[in-house]
Amino acid sequence: MLVSNSPQFLRHFSTFNLLSTTMASSSSSLLLPSVSLNHHQLKTSSSVCFGTLKHGFRRINLDKSRVSMSLSAGSTTAIDDALFTDYKPTTAFLFPGQGAQAVGMGQEALKVPAAAELYNKANEILGFDILDVCINGPKEKLDSTVLSQPAIYVTSLAAVEILRARDGGQQIIDSVDVTCGLSLGEYTALAFSGAFSFEDGLKLVKLRGQAMQEAADAAKGAMVSIIGLDSDKVQQLCDAANEEVEEAEKVQIANFLCTGNYAVSGGVKGIEAVEAKAKSFKARMTVRLAVAGAFHTRFMNPALSQLESALSATEIKTPRIPVISNVDAQPHADPETIKKILARQVTSPVQWETTVKTLLSRGLVKSYELGPGKVIAGIVKRMDKTSPIENISA
């Protein structure tokens, strides 16, 4: 699907994925091939974990050059964070973020027991019926940062189960050798990769949404999508706008989606200055985004301490396949590094353009967008019209 520049599309295309603590003990974690819930095994464990080495998944070869052992008491295995540096992608799972949500999503999950069970598990964690919000809304409720993030996370992983239920679906899942997600979608990708369990991921996403909303309430900000300029021109536009506003109102590029579509984030007055100057920089159009605040900037600093605390208390493992970070467009293997980079993600620009370019340049054969909407498919097609991508919705 080619990216449309219509306001209706851009509202979904750019409102992107923006943006308790619990640690399931490794002895009680249930290892599953991705999202499926095995009811027989659930008798002995209530934790769902997406990563596994069963059903043909590639094993991570932790050879001696990549692993070092501490000789001190209570020794632990240290994983080289560069373990996945030389990854060669063939099949990718791509997960959407905030902005992809739409009332009615989740209906397909009702037809697949394993997908529906994920919503039941989520209800226990969230304390309310998330599927009802997904299907029935209202839109204003689903669009809130606090609810849209967990709703998209669960719906995207439900889409994995919908794919699994199709003929040949398990073979596709087994063939995936790289994954990533747009901002919020990075948490979904990490859950799919086995870095943490479904439950732990959902608790993190719930807290993330709450922390980002609180940060937005504390310092009023805004976001605008700039259409028709390359990143250098958008940076020049931001610099020009920043010359006219106070430090607290300054703006920056917050989301590098693809050439011709970048999101700028910052103080309300700074965003207004960007909008006023955009035409003089020959931007095709600007679209003010319906988000709670200035995501992926310093405006989200108040959310950091909560996220860092939650992440430090969560068990995170080395992913079984590369998961590309939004912060630096690189895969990370060391759990402690993953924790730090996930915390930084809410205040750092999203490097999605670099991520997709790298996947394509390294030989990606096919990708799948799993979850609501077709935002990611539009981005991929805009960057390479010949690259096959299939949407699996729930």
Side-chain angles (χ1 to χ4, degrees), residues 216-227:
D217 292 341
K220 295 300 181 184
M223 299 187 71
V224 62
S225 184
I226 311 299
I227 309 301

Side-chain angles (χ1 to χ4, degrees), residues 92-110:
F93 270 11
L94 312 177
F95 295 99
Q98 189 174 343
Q101 73 276 359
V103 173
M105 69 183 193
Q107 292 189 59
E108 291 299 311
L110 294 174

Side-chain angles (χ1 to χ4, degrees), residues 11 23 43 75 89 94 97 99 107 119 130 157 163 170 197 263 329 348 358 369:
R11 187 163 54 250
M23 182 171 74
K43 293 177 182 178
S75 63
L94 312 177
Q107 292 189 59
Y119 287 97
I130 187 67
L157 291 171
L163 173 60
Q170 184 63 56
S197 69
S348 303
T358 302
E369 177 179 13

